[in-house]
Amino acid sequence: MATSKIVAPLCLMVLVFSLCSSKVQSQDVCAGVERPEPETIPCTINCILPDPVCGTDGVTYTCGCLDAFCHGVDVVKKGEC
């Protein structure tokens, strides 16, 4: 019974840590990419090479971080959703 009192808080710590670390990673995905000014959204994006990223809305943006930003969406990860 004492084991369950120890395991539950440890599980909670692991969950919180994994959520926090994934948020930090998602911020690093678009490091160096400037967000457009809000009044220019939606903006026009023309890309030659696809660089897909997954937006927080569950949509894959083929032209990368700037494409997602121009749609007013943050990026969760590189690659398709």
Side-chain angles (χ1 to χ4, degrees):
M1 189 172 291
T3 304
S4 65
K5 289 182 180 181
I6 294 171
V7 172
L10 288 175
C11 290
L12 182 59
M13 281 183 4
V14 169
L15 175 65
V16 169
F17 177 75
S18 65
L19 290 174
C20 291
S21 64
S22 67
K23 186 168 179 86
V24 170
Q25 290 171 351
S26 69
Q27 292 171 347
D28 292 339
V29 170
C30 294
V33 178
E34 270 190 54
R35 289 180 177 272
E37 295 296 325
E39 57 271 1
T40 62
I41 295 174
C43 44
T44 304
I45 299 295
N46 295 319
C47 62
I48 296 170
L49 297 173
D51 182 23
V53 294
C54 181
T56 54
D57 58 355
V59 173
T60 299
Y61 293 91
T62 307
C63 293
C65 293
L66 188 57
D67 190 8
F69 293 162
C70 283
H71 285 89
V73 177
D74 288 325
V75 174
V76 176
K77 66 174 186 155
K78 282 213 174 266
E80 297 180 4
C81 296

